[in-house]
Amino acid sequence: MKKILYKTVLIAAVFFAFYSTADAGWWIFGKSEEDVDFEYLYINDIAFDEAGDVLTLYRETLSDGLVYIRGKAKASGTVAAVEISLDNKETWNSAKLSSGRAFEYSFTPEAKEYSLFVKITETTGKTNDIDRSNRKIIISDRSIITGIQKILDDMAGAYIQKNIRDFMTKVSRDFTGGDIVLNRAVSQDFSSFAHLDLKLTVASAVSSSGGKISAAINYSRSAFSILTGENYTDSGTTQMDFKREDSVLKLYSMKHPLIFGLSEADETASGITGIGANTDMLIITPEGELEKLPFEDALNKIEGNDIAETLSEITFVSSKSDADGFIFSTGEKIKAAGLFMDPLGSIDIAYFEGDYLTVNKDVTYQMLPPGTDIETISSVPTSGYGKDSDFDSGDYHRKELDSNIQGRCIAFKLRTGNYAVMEITDYFYDTDTLQGRIIFRYRYQSDGTNLF
Amino acid sequence: MNSIIKEAAASFAFLLVCILEVHAGVHITNEAQIGAGSITGPGEKQSVVTDKGIFSNLLNLNYYRESEKLNYYFNFSGRATNDKSIDYRPFSVARIQGRLSLPRHNFTLGDFMESFSRYSLGASLKGISYSTKLTAPLTPDLTLIYGMQAPRWDSIIDPDNSTKALKREAYGFKISASPLEAWNFSVHYVNSKDKNRIYESVPLYDGGVYGIGWSFDPFAGLSLTGETSFSSVHLKPSSGSLENKNGSANRVSFQGYGDGLRLNLDYERVSSNFFTVLGAASPDRERFRASWVQDYGKNTSVSYSGLWFKDNLNGAKNKTTHSWRPDISINKRLLLGRRFASGDVTLRTDYRRGAVKENNTYLDFGYGDRLGMFDSDTRMGLASFSKRDTLEYIANTSLSWRKSAGLFVFRPTLRLGTRIKDANGNRDLINESSLGLNADAGSAGISTAFQLGLNKYIRERENDSAKLFFNTNFYYRPVFAKNHTLSLRYAVNDFWTDHSGGDFRENSFSAGLNTQF
């Protein structure tokens, strides 16, 4: 609560540092009170400052088929008239002016370019800086479907060419999920596939009066994985939204199935297009590998809190010099260094000798209650983890094993603070040879929570 | 074929009705295309080209009528195609919309898109919307909506296995007013309910988002906006108990500009439990962004910006991840006193600390100039990604030339690019090159382009591959019929890889006719 209060005060301080009833406080922004100007100006609900130098409007999106110029005049004296020119100041037309200085002008456009100027005249004859009000308005008779198709073709081209700079010029600063996240994700996408073929077709597009467009898009995609050389294809329907920025339409949000930014799909997608045509989906795993999964499985993998698990069995066979080791975060079974050699390094657990599990010095554990089922467990405790007091070398410690361990679950708190849970499904130990075998299943949660 | 005939007959009948009515405006555009493709080689299954004859037709009809008291407008867009990669139904409706406007009242039936606020509603629906714009002082504006969110009309009407979709029914309102000069306040509420579950693992949502928005625009050059919204949404899984998502989202934005200066400040906090179905928000995030663009004279500008955000607002995660992205960019024209020279340099870093540790750095240079008769544009960049221990070097350049000969203006362009990626000690090299030629005769309505190129991927560990490509297109808009454009396109891509079974060649040809009247 305190932090929110501090931040609110900070924002307010920035605001009031510039705000003052005295003119001198505002000299950085806008114009001084004495100037004749417009306080705000909208072209069909698009703010003048956001319109850019050239504003393209699609005729089919015009309310009533009209273009509206709406604004509010400002002057120290009385505003006598507001006039609009659409032909580069050759002719002027009067706008409706209200007593509150609001003005409005509308016209039925043809499919051509208009050069807009706004002239505000005081009763003293003083006018605003007319040239500053200039905007080029292009009325297009093309369907917005065609307009969005062009944007998509350009984006797909930049993505296929792995041109991140060109691609990001088509992404809004307000991209849901963060343009920086999309930038990072797309850069990482480029490292995962080669020879991408992508066909995007706008199935439908609808616009709002404020210049946002929502489009349903049919896609077909074929990609080679850089890591494996395998080719994957998928197709379906997705949705993207676009908003006007710097006079052009830019990508504002995307839904699953994702076309761009697969490397951080949980951050870049803001929803799901639930339609029967979406049967499979390409994803990129955290390791950067391209994979094709059934649609629901892909969503689970992306949105299922990044739970990595194998409920197939992993077998450890003990060895003093060539022990099996395991890393929960990657699911790798690798050879650990020999006993009494260096600490386990990045390995979480290893099986050197028969009656105990060797555990990394930075990993702690606790036994879960008998009867805990690894397949249905929903969480592990957040406290109560420790090391076996019977043996702790400082470099590693041990968890003693016996026949009662079979069927039991052990929860681990790893070096990173993440949690894992392991179920030992089979345990065998030969007291003569001091060698044994462990078979286990595991689940690993990478997002830092204790939830499974 | 039957569906195409039906579509054509319906359009003609509609046109006839429109022409007969006086004071009506009618506009029709039609984009028709036929084509053919072929794929050969052992790797042919990797191509997305359609290996047969195809056609596609997009028809767009606009009708509007104005009078002093009543305006109405109708739009219909429909597509017919036999290419399943364009659409899996031979005939589909892209958009239907009817609008009725009285002096201060507007009704929209069919496809519409209203934007109440960032967090509550910013999606397209199929239904009805009503809005007022009452110009009397202190009288609020009202917008009401009711509709279904579905990707296609045939997801609602006569769906089949491909088009069946989740049905999301929504209703809501927004009231806005300007009780004080330069101030505007609004209240919004949007409720939605899901039906027709498609995926077992995706819950159905039922609930709404409500809140207030405000803006303060004291004069041109200064603007402050904000919004506070609350969500009350139930998630219904296919089995198990309901989950409630009751949370809040807040944001404040400041925009200021003056002579040579643009300043933007944004603050946002979206709680972990905030959930919006028809709006846009990233839950469990607190974010602050600042950007300052300063012009130094007419030819130089410098931009500074910084972004910070963090997660774990409710403390549920073991660690909080903080992300920072500062960057600085300098743009200069008339570089080194050269009339056509411009340069830019950008340094950007991207840090994450917490549950994830990551440092990425990007350094880009750009330089454009006219060298004799050639226009050049060169970009170089260096990027390092700590997560995959990767360093990337990028360099690309283009040289273009413009030459007029009679009616035609020729623009040949040579593009060369190299990308070297060093990942975990393995080096991959990508070389891209292409030669293009644009030839335009604007007065004759002709525009053509040719491009020939070769992309090679040389990988240290994995298979090498290459793509040789050629494409050309031709557009003709007759002077005597400027509302019609003929287009011809041809492309061939030849893929080669040094792993067996991967080679293939794809050819595609299309001819199109765009008409409007």
Side-chain angles (χ1 to χ4, degrees):
Chain A
M1 190 62 190
K2 263 191 186 173
K3 283 186 181 173
I4 296 173
L5 183 61
Y6 288 145
K7 282 161 189 161
T8 307
V9 168
L10 177 65
I11 299 286
V14 171
F15 171 63
F16 285 109
F18 293 108
Y19 183 76
S20 164
T21 52
D23 295 336
W26 296 110
W27 60 268
I28 293 177
F29 302 115
K31 301 284 187 177
S32 69
E33 283 290 337
E34 283 73 30
D35 282 357
V36 179
D37 205 345
F38 48 83
E39 288 195 17
Y40 58 81
L41 187 68
Y42 288 90
I43 305 165
N44 270 26
D45 291 339
I46 299 167
F48 181 78
D49 302 323
E50 291 173 10
D53 292 334
V54 179
L55 175 64
T56 300
L57 299 175
Y58 292 93
R59 196 212 284 267
E60 68 186 39
T61 69
L62 301 181
S63 173
D64 321 330
L66 299 173
V67 175
Y68 289 89
I69 313 291
R70 295 188 176 104
K72 187 170 181 182
K74 182 187 68 167
S76 56
T78 306
V79 175
V82 177
E83 294 167 281
I84 307 291
S85 173
L86 297 170
D87 52 13
N88 207 27
K89 297 187 279 188
E90 285 186 23
T91 59
W92 294 91
N93 303 290
S94 294
K96 283 186 219 170
L97 181 63
S98 73
S99 57
R101 296 180 179 180
F103 60 87
E104 179 178 304
Y105 177 80
S106 63
F107 66 99
T108 305
E110 295 173 12
K112 65 176 197 176
E113 274 181 29
Y114 293 89
S115 183
L116 168 73
F117 288 88
V118 178
K119 181 164 68 178
I120 301 169
T121 309
E122 257 191 331
T123 48
T124 60
K126 194 174 177 186
T127 67
N128 61 312
D129 181 355
I130 298 172
D131 288 336
R132 199 180 76 79
S133 69
N134 178 232
R135 285 294 184 270
K136 189 182 287 184
I137 302 175
I138 299 174
I139 304 298
S140 172
D141 265 338
R142 301 182 76 189
S143 163
I144 56 167
I145 291 176
T146 308
I148 293 294
Q149 185 68 60
K150 173 78 170 59
I151 295 169
L152 280 179
D153 290 344
D154 290 345
M155 291 189 76
Y159 190 74
I160 291 169
Q161 298 292 327
K162 300 189 178 181
N163 190 330
I164 185 66
R165 177 182 281 265
D166 265 1
F167 181 87
M168 289 307 296
T169 61
K170 298 156 179 49
V171 177
S172 167
R173 285 186 295 270
D174 293 328
F175 178 79
T176 312
D179 58 338
I180 168 187
V181 177
L182 182 59
N183 190 328
R184 191 170 60 216
V186 170
S187 298
Q188 290 170 1
D189 287 356
F190 294 163
S191 302
S192 297
F193 66 81
H195 292 312
L196 176 71
D197 235 345
L198 187 56
K199 187 193 264 189
L200 303 175
T201 308
V202 178
S204 69
V206 185
S207 74
S208 72
S209 58
K212 250 197 214 165
I213 294 180
S214 177
I217 294 156
N218 295 331
Y219 73 93
S220 288
R221 177 166 52 183
S222 169
F224 279 92
S225 166
I226 279 186
L227 288 179
T228 64
E230 281 189 59
N231 177 261
Y232 300 97
T233 60
D234 72 337
S235 62
T237 298
T238 187
Q239 288 171 277
M240 296 185 191
D241 291 346
F242 300 83
K243 71 175 276 196
R244 189 171 296 279
E245 195 173 279
D246 303 329
S247 81
V248 295
L249 287 168
K250 295 193 179 182
L251 183 66
Y252 177 66
S253 72
M254 298 187 288
K255 289 189 175 179
H256 288 299
L258 269 185
I259 305 298
F260 313 116
L262 279 69
S263 297
E264 297 201 27
D266 56 338
E267 299 270 358
T268 51
S270 57
I272 301 166
T273 304
I275 190 169
N278 295 343
T279 52
D280 300 307
M281 185 160 81
L282 293 192
I283 65 167
I284 293 178
T285 67
E287 292 72 41
E289 194 169 326
L290 198 59
E291 209 174 319
K292 176 174 167 178
L293 293 172
F295 195 74
E296 280 193 71
D297 293 349
L299 288 179
N300 284 335
K301 194 149 187 177
I302 293 165
E303 298 179 3
N305 296 318
D306 295 327
I307 295 175
E309 59 188 45
T310 180
L311 299 180
S312 305
E313 291 174 328
I314 295 174
T315 302
F316 269 8
V317 177
S318 72
S319 167
K320 278 191 182 178
S321 59
D322 194 24
D324 286 328
F326 193 72
I327 303 176
F328 285 106
S329 61
T330 60
E332 288 178 271
K333 185 177 114 172
I334 59 177
K335 291 298 180 184
L339 191 61
F340 306 126
M341 292 172 67
D342 291 337
L344 293 181
S346 60
I347 298 173
D348 295 318
I349 56 173
Y351 191 26
F352 285 105
E353 290 183 311
D355 62 353
Y356 51 83
L357 198 63
T358 304
V359 184
N360 190 296
K361 67 180 177 66
D362 295 321
V363 176
T364 53
Y365 65 86
Q366 63 174 282
M367 294 299 298
L368 296 178
T372 301
D373 186 349
I374 196 171
E375 292 190 25
T376 59
I377 189 172
S378 60
S379 66
V380 295
T382 55
S383 60
Y385 293 85
K387 298 181 180 183
D388 191 328
S389 58
D390 285 343
F391 184 95
D392 183 351
S393 79
D395 291 330
Y396 55 87
H397 61 106
R398 295 178 186 172
K399 164 69 191 124
E400 196 160 330
L401 304 172
D402 58 37
S403 57
N404 293 325
I405 201 72
Q406 193 160 326
R408 292 294 299 275
C409 287
I410 309 172
F412 293 89
K413 189 165 184 178
L414 307 173
R415 286 174 302 146
T416 55
N418 293 338
Y419 296 92
V421 61
M422 166 188 188
E423 180 196 30
I424 297 181
T425 59
D426 191 42
Y427 169 69
F428 168 75
Y429 171 57
D430 187 327
T431 53
D432 293 327
T433 61
L434 301 182
Q435 297 305 309
R437 185 191 68 230
I438 293 172
I439 302 178
F440 68 92
R441 308 192 291 174
Y442 82 97
R443 299 177 81 178
Y444 165 74
Q445 174 54 275
S446 69
D447 73 356
T449 68
N450 62 324
L451 305 172
F452 289 86
Chain B
M1 182 54 81
N2 281 342
S3 58
I4 297 171
I5 293 172
K6 283 180 193 172
E7 182 197 337
S11 333
F12 179 73
F14 178 76
L15 176 59
L16 196 62
V17 168
C18 295
I19 290 172
L20 291 174
E21 186 169 7
V22 183
H23 308 303
V26 178
H27 188 257
I28 298 173
T29 61
N30 192 75
E31 297 174 24
Q33 201 171 69
I34 56 170
S38 73
I39 311 155
T40 54
E44 60 181 357
K45 286 193 176 154
Q46 295 149 21
S47 172
V48 294
V49 166
T50 304
D51 190 6
K52 63 175 186 180
I54 62 159
F55 73 87
S56 171
N57 193 81
L58 178 68
L59 174 70
N60 189 61
L61 300 168
N62 291 331
Y63 169 71
Y64 56 90
R65 186 181 184 276
E66 303 165 41
S67 69
E68 272 190 34
K69 290 185 180 174
L70 180 68
N71 294 338
Y72 54 87
Y73 168 84
F74 177 77
N75 168 259
F76 168 83
S77 286
R79 189 193 299 277
T81 182
N82 71 335
D83 186 350
K84 289 204 183 301
S85 69
I86 292 176
D87 200 290
Y88 24 84
R89 275 206 163 174
F91 178 71
S92 60
V93 174
R95 187 169 67 248
I96 301 177
Q97 187 182 80
R99 285 202 299 262
L100 188 70
S101 297
L102 300 166
R104 285 188 274 279
H105 304 274
N106 290 297
F107 296 88
T108 305
L109 186 65
D111 284 297
F112 69 90
M113 186 171 178
E114 293 288 350
S115 188
F116 284 1
S117 73
R118 180 185 298 184
Y119 300 131
S120 63
L121 176 66
S124 64
L125 297 171
K126 294 167 170 46
I128 183 167
S129 80
Y130 163 74
S131 63
T132 67
K133 275 201 184 300
L134 303 174
T135 53
L138 301 183
T139 307
D141 293 336
L142 172 68
T143 305
L144 301 172
I145 57 130
Y146 171 79
M148 305 283 286
Q149 187 189 40
R152 304 164 58 107
W153 278 100
D154 49 24
S155 297
I156 300 174
I157 303 168
D158 190 28
D160 60 17
N161 278 338
S162 293
T163 58
K164 65 177 181 183
L166 178 79
K167 284 181 192 159
R168 182 163 287 156
E169 187 178 1
Y171 64 87
F173 70 86
K174 177 179 175 182
I175 302 172
S176 65
S178 299
L180 302 167
E181 191 169 336
W183 287 92
N184 181 276
F185 295 96
S186 65
V187 175
H188 54 260
Y189 174 72
V190 178
N191 184 283
S192 70
K193 190 180 174 93
D194 289 353
K195 296 175 197 171
N196 199 35
R197 189 188 298 272
I198 298 290
Y199 305 115
E200 290 302 308
S201 61
V202 178
L204 299 180
Y205 304 115
D206 182 0
V209 174
Y210 57 96
I212 60 170
W214 56 271
S215 68
F216 177 56
D217 298 280
F219 53 80
L222 194 78
S223 169
L224 217 65
T225 59
E227 177 185 348
T228 294
S229 285
F230 302 91
S231 70
S232 176
V233 179
H234 306 299
L235 275 61
K236 292 183 199 169
S238 55
S239 61
S241 52
L242 283 181
E243 185 184 346
N244 292 329
K245 289 282 192 184
N246 300 325
S248 66
N250 298 274
R251 67 175 184 90
V252 178
S253 294
F254 169 88
Q255 285 180 314
Y257 68 87
D259 288 329
L261 159 73
R262 287 184 298 285
L263 176 67
N264 287 281
L265 301 171
D266 294 294
Y267 171 76
E268 178 182 58
R269 183 184 170 93
V270 182
S271 72
S272 310
N273 261 347
F274 182 81
F275 192 85
T276 176
V277 172
L278 296 171
S282 299
D284 194 23
R285 182 172 288 183
E286 186 174 19
R287 188 182 77 142
F288 180 73
R289 180 204 288 261
S291 82
W292 181 310
V293 179
Q294 181 72 56
D295 294 332
Y296 296 95
K298 285 188 180 176
N299 299 315
T300 306
S301 76
V302 182
S303 110
Y304 317 86
S305 74
L307 170 66
W308 161 85
F309 59 91
K310 72 168 189 179
D311 65 359
N312 198 23
L313 300 186
N314 62 354
K317 294 181 179 174
N318 185 57
K319 282 190 178 175
T320 300
T321 301
H322 293 259
S323 301
W324 294 270
R325 192 194 91 166
D327 71 68
I328 180 168
S329 174
I330 304 171
N331 289 269
K332 179 146 182 70
R333 298 191 326 182
L334 302 181
L335 197 60
L336 304 174
R338 294 177 60 80
R339 186 174 161 210
F340 297 105
S342 65
D344 61 85
V345 58
T346 302
L347 174 64
R348 190 171 72 246
T349 52
D350 173 5
Y351 297 106
R352 285 201 284 183
R353 292 290 184 275
V356 175
K357 183 179 174 183
E358 191 173 355
N359 301 333
N360 300 330
T361 305
Y362 311 82
L363 179 63
D364 289 316
F365 299 95
Y367 178 71
D369 202 349
R370 182 167 289 177
L371 306 170
M373 61 181 180
F374 295 102
D375 286 319
S376 78
D377 184 40
T378 300
R379 305 222 66 88
M380 289 188 287
L382 174 68
S384 80
F385 304 95
S386 66
K387 193 173 175 182
R388 296 180 191 168
D389 192 22
T390 300
L391 204 58
E392 282 191 4
Y393 311 87
I394 300 166
N396 55 67
T397 190
S398 72
L399 285 175
S400 60
W401 174 46
R402 184 189 167 98
K403 172 76 179 168
S404 297
L407 280 178
F408 280 86
V409 175
F410 296 96
R411 282 193 305 275
T413 306
L414 173 68
R415 290 190 179 86
L416 301 168
T418 292
R419 185 187 183 98
I420 301 171
K421 191 168 77 116
D422 242 302
N424 293 322
N426 294 301
R427 177 168 284 201
D428 293 339
L429 175 68
I430 301 170
N431 288 327
E432 295 166 333
S433 55
S434 70
L435 180 63
L437 173 66
N438 284 55
D440 298 323
S443 56
I446 293 173
S447 171
T448 67
F450 302 86
Q451 190 179 39
L452 172 70
L454 173 67
N455 296 345
K456 291 177 72 173
Y457 296 79
I458 302 164
R459 299 188 186 84
E460 190 166 326
R461 269 196 315 181
E462 305 300 334
N463 298 310
D464 295 347
S465 58
K467 177 173 109 169
L468 178 67
F469 60 93
F470 171 76
N471 56 70
T472 179
N473 55 60
F474 170 83
Y475 296 94
Y476 176 50
R477 179 180 284 189
V479 175
F480 54 85
K482 283 190 176 175
N483 286 338
H484 308 284
T485 304
L486 172 71
S487 63
L488 298 169
R489 295 190 197 93
Y490 173 72
V492 57
N493 295 317
D494 206 330
F495 291 90
W496 166 88
T497 173
D498 64 3
H499 100 67
S500 60
D503 299 2
F504 68 96
R505 173 181 291 180
E506 55 185 23
N507 291 273
S508 61
F509 166 78
S510 69
L513 178 64
N514 289 9
T515 58
Q516 50 179 308
F517 52 94

